[in-house]
Amino acid sequence: MEFATLSNGVRMPKVGFGVYRVPAEECQPVVQKALEVGYRHLDTAQCYFNEEQVGAAIQASPVDRSDIFLTTKVWIGCYGEGQTYASVERSLRRLKTDYLDLVLLHQAFADYYGAWRDLVRLYEEGKVRAIGTSNFLPVRLADLAAFGGMAPQVNQVETNPLCQQRVAHDYMAAVGVQHQAWAPLGAGAAGVLDSPVICGIAERLGKTTAQVALRWLLQRDIVVLAKSTHEERMRQNLDVFDFELAAEDVAAIEALDTGHGTFIDPSDPATIDFFRPLVEERCGLL
Ligand SMILES: NC(=O)c1ccc[n+]([C@@H]2O[C@H](COP(=O)([O-])OP(=O)(O)OC[C@H]3O[C@@H](n4cnc5c(N)ncnc54)[C@H](OP(=O)(O)O)[C@@H]3O)[C@@H](O)[C@H]2O)c1
């Protein structure tokens, strides 16, 4: 496994395993299998409602907690000074650990400023080794760095061949924020894994389409978080360090960029309308 080094020196495995949409009842065996096949970077979130099962899998696994890079994300409904701190303490209990490697603010809505102050406090107290954001636009990263007391060390955003985030990536690279890709395979929806361009490259190289998509992200210095509940796919998605995409293949994939996200657009006011009922619905559950 290769590692990315964050701005504070913390090392993060470049391929992580995500558990979004892994139902709670399947999550413990799936995460145990992921650890068994070699994953050492796990990405969950309060609003995935599977932190308990991720924690149980870590406890049941022979892999040392200190060898696992563990991330969770604070749900919007838990934002606010004091509330965020308490919600991370609950996450620690659910995950059965006394520290987290990374905690992210899940979205740049509601009282993310109060939430950020709590993450800074958790970081200063050593309960969290790194702090960051998710779905934050460059302007919001700059805002936190200037006025939030500490710059984010990571920003996790949708990134795949259809949504390449080139402007955001260049900004993050320039200011030392590690770019993490969510939905690196396009969440399995049409577009990435059935792309004739990526399929053609994969066939020529004797790799799978998923491996080529992940490799292309890694060659841009982006940490990838892929999800699969199938052992063979878990193995494939980890096995991406023994080949290199040539410049012409990189250019062919670059030409697939649509310039926008395929799931949510953090710059669109309609996204707030999408999240508001979700926040109300999940209020009190976390
Ligand atoms: N911060 C955020 O707002 C945010 C949002 C979304 C996701 N995330 C994080 O990013 C992680 C990954 O994103 P994602 O789960 O949405 O999408 P993804 O990893 O891009 O794609 C997952 C889909 O691809 C399929 N798949 C995986 N490996 C494959 C392979 N080798 N060949 C063919 N199909 C394959 C999976 O199916 P099977 O499971 O059936 O194999 C699943 O349907 C999440 O789990 C989560 O941790 C974060």
Side-chain angles (χ1 to χ4, degrees):
M1 176 56 65
E2 293 181 7
F3 289 80
T5 303
L6 306 184
S7 58
N8 63 350
V10 166
R11 279 157 43 93
M12 169 198 283
K14 286 188 180 177
V15 177
F17 185 78
V19 294
Y20 178 45
R21 291 201 183 109
V22 180
E25 61 279 11
E26 286 171 36
C27 192
Q28 181 177 344
V30 162
V31 172
Q32 276 179 239
K33 181 57 73 181
L35 290 168
E36 186 189 313
V37 308
Y39 286 89
R40 294 293 178 269
H41 176 171
L42 303 174
D43 182 87
T44 184
Q46 293 174 344
C47 74
Y48 298 171
F49 295 102
N50 56 22
E51 288 179 313
E52 285 273 0
Q53 291 73 17
V54 172
I58 293 171
Q59 267 199 338
S61 161
V63 180
D64 252 32
R65 166 69 186 92
S66 60
D67 291 329
I68 299 170
F69 189 98
L70 180 59
T71 301
T72 197
K73 311 180 197 81
V74 179
W75 176 239
I76 313 161
C78 299
Y79 282 8
E81 203 157 355
Q83 289 183 66
T84 296
Y85 190 96
S87 83
V88 173
E89 287 187 315
R90 290 194 294 277
S91 286
L92 285 164
R93 282 196 290 278
R94 286 191 291 263
L95 287 160
K96 301 166 215 350
T97 181
D98 55 5
Y99 73 97
L100 282 155
D101 295 279
L102 177 64
V103 177
L104 305 175
L105 298 186
H106 211 142
Q107 301 286 346
F109 308 136
D111 185 10
Y112 65 84
Y113 243 84
W116 186 251
R117 279 193 286 273
D118 275 5
L119 292 199
V120 171
R121 193 174 137 208
L122 287 156
Y123 177 76
E124 287 170 352
E125 290 173 358
K127 291 184 175 152
V128 172
R129 296 175 68 224
I131 58 174
T133 53
S134 176
N135 303 302
F136 274 49
L137 298 169
V139 65
R140 295 276 72 86
L141 296 175
D143 175 27
L144 282 185
F147 306 114
M150 197 175 133
Q153 284 140 350
V154 172
N155 189 34
Q156 183 183 120
V157 287
E158 180 190 348
T159 317
N160 55 54
L162 299 183
C163 171
Q164 302 192 4
Q165 302 279 10
R166 287 193 223 163
V167 173
H169 177 78
D170 289 349
Y171 177 77
M172 291 189 259
V175 298
V177 175
Q178 178 62 52
H179 182 168
Q180 280 189 332
W182 64 256
L185 306 173
V192 174
L193 292 177
D194 60 356
S195 153
V197 170
I198 308 176
C199 291
I201 296 169
E203 204 177 312
R204 179 159 40 77
L205 297 178
K207 298 289 172 187
T208 67
T209 317
Q211 286 173 320
V212 170
L214 296 174
R215 181 71 216 171
W216 171 78
L217 288 161
L218 292 168
Q219 284 183 212
R220 293 177 65 204
D221 293 326
I222 296 172
V223 169
V224 299
L225 303 164
K227 169 262 174 189
S228 177
T229 51
H230 296 95
E231 179 176 350
E232 168 49 28
R233 290 174 173 178
M234 289 179 189
R235 290 188 189 278
Q236 259 181 42
N237 298 347
L238 258 189
D239 184 18
V240 287
F241 294 101
D242 67 345
F243 72 109
E244 184 102 10
L245 295 174
E248 57 271 26
D249 290 337
V250 169
I253 297 174
E254 274 174 8
L256 302 175
D257 194 12
T258 62
H260 55 76
T262 46
F263 302 98
I264 57 162
D265 175 358
S267 69
D268 183 353
T271 303
I272 309 265
D273 297 333
F274 169 78
F275 277 109
R276 195 166 38 191
L278 285 182
V279 173
E280 283 161 12
E281 187 186 298
R282 294 168 185 177
C283 184
L285 294 177
L286 293 161

